[in-house]
Amino acid sequence: MPSYEHLSELLDPAVTVLLTVECQQGVVGPDSALPELARQARSSGVLANIARLVAAAHESGIQVIHALAERRPDGRGASRNARLFHAAERLPVQQLSGTTAVRVAPPIEVAEEDFVVRRLHGLSPIQGTDVDALLRNLGCRTLIVSGVSANVAIPNAVFDAVNRGYTAVVPTDAIAGVPADYTPAMIRHTLALVATLATTDEVLGCCKGLRRR
């Protein structure tokens, strides 16, 4: 884990953005299309930790971007080049534009100053979306990545961030995947090689009392 001084330097509110990935009701809510993932995100405290990070970001002046995945009712523009996409089309809960399923899930609170970025295709919240342009226009250097899933979207986000020159910070208890023992293994053997790892409490400790310059 990084030192307090190093992490505090990385998390300067003027150049830091918090990204929440697919923290939407149809994914992590009580009526999720992916109940095992939703249970893991909620029972492990991951969703609560993300809510804590978002609240602290609002207080400290760190910009928040919520990245959501959705599809049109007619399916136009959706990706179909992987098994995952075909499986998603058959799920009982669909992430349809304009429905409750694609709203940010409680207890995470969306503030007026937050950005909500929605994608209709692909696996990444950064590639092919408005997120990268927003990060550059915001002067971002450090991207805190949180959310689901540790199986696909989270590593995609981290790799995309690093490939674009951002420093990725991953609060290890603010991401979830399935099965439960996969996430720590993926963190240890993959994300540890490319991202700065910390706990939610360590990130909150650095954010406490900070204000955007």
Side-chain angles (χ1 to χ4, degrees):
M1 294 295 181
S3 67
Y4 175 83
E5 291 75 16
H6 177 58
L7 191 58
S8 294
E9 183 178 350
L10 288 179
L11 298 179
D12 176 357
V15 296
T16 300
V17 172
L18 169 63
L19 179 69
T20 75
V21 180
E22 296 183 32
C23 294
Q24 56 203 70
Q25 295 197 40
V27 175
V28 296
D31 299 319
S32 170
L34 304 164
E36 183 182 359
L37 177 60
R39 282 194 298 270
Q40 178 60 26
R42 302 176 82 85
S43 65
S44 65
V46 162
L47 195 60
N49 283 337
I50 296 169
R52 294 168 64 208
L53 288 168
V54 169
H58 291 157
E59 292 176 3
S60 64
I62 290 175
Q63 180 66 55
V64 179
I65 298 178
H66 304 280
L68 307 179
E70 61 182 51
R71 58 184 286 118
R72 289 166 46 121
D74 61 11
R76 290 174 63 85
S79 300
R80 293 186 175 85
N81 57 337
R83 289 176 57 194
L84 177 64
F85 302 131
H86 291 286
E89 290 178 348
R90 298 191 296 270
L91 292 174
V93 177
Q94 293 290 305
Q95 314 299 316
L96 298 181
S97 302
T99 67
T100 301
V102 293
R103 294 178 186 170
V104 175
I108 299 169
E109 295 188 0
V110 180
E112 185 177 353
E113 64 267 23
D114 294 357
F115 290 101
V116 178
V117 177
R118 304 175 186 275
R119 77 176 193 274
L120 292 172
H121 59 84
L123 300 170
S124 171
I126 297 178
Q127 172 67 32
T129 75
D130 290 337
V131 169
D132 184 41
L134 290 173
L135 295 177
R136 295 194 183 282
N137 290 344
L138 291 165
C140 175
R141 293 204 301 265
T142 299
L143 184 66
I144 306 171
V145 180
S146 65
V148 298
S149 72
N151 304 77
V152 178
I154 294 299
N156 259 266
V158 172
F159 293 150
D160 285 348
V162 173
N163 284 332
R164 286 162 174 75
Y166 305 108
T167 296
V169 172
V170 178
T172 57
D173 52 356
I175 64 172
V178 291
D181 58 359
Y182 174 76
T183 301
M186 189 276 296
I187 291 171
R188 181 168 62 253
H189 297 296
T190 301
L191 295 189
L193 303 177
V194 294
T196 298
L197 305 181
T199 65
T200 295
D201 284 343
E202 287 171 335
V203 172
L204 294 178
C206 292
C207 292
K208 186 177 181 180
L210 294 176
R211 292 290 183 273
R212 186 180 295 275
R213 294 172 183 172

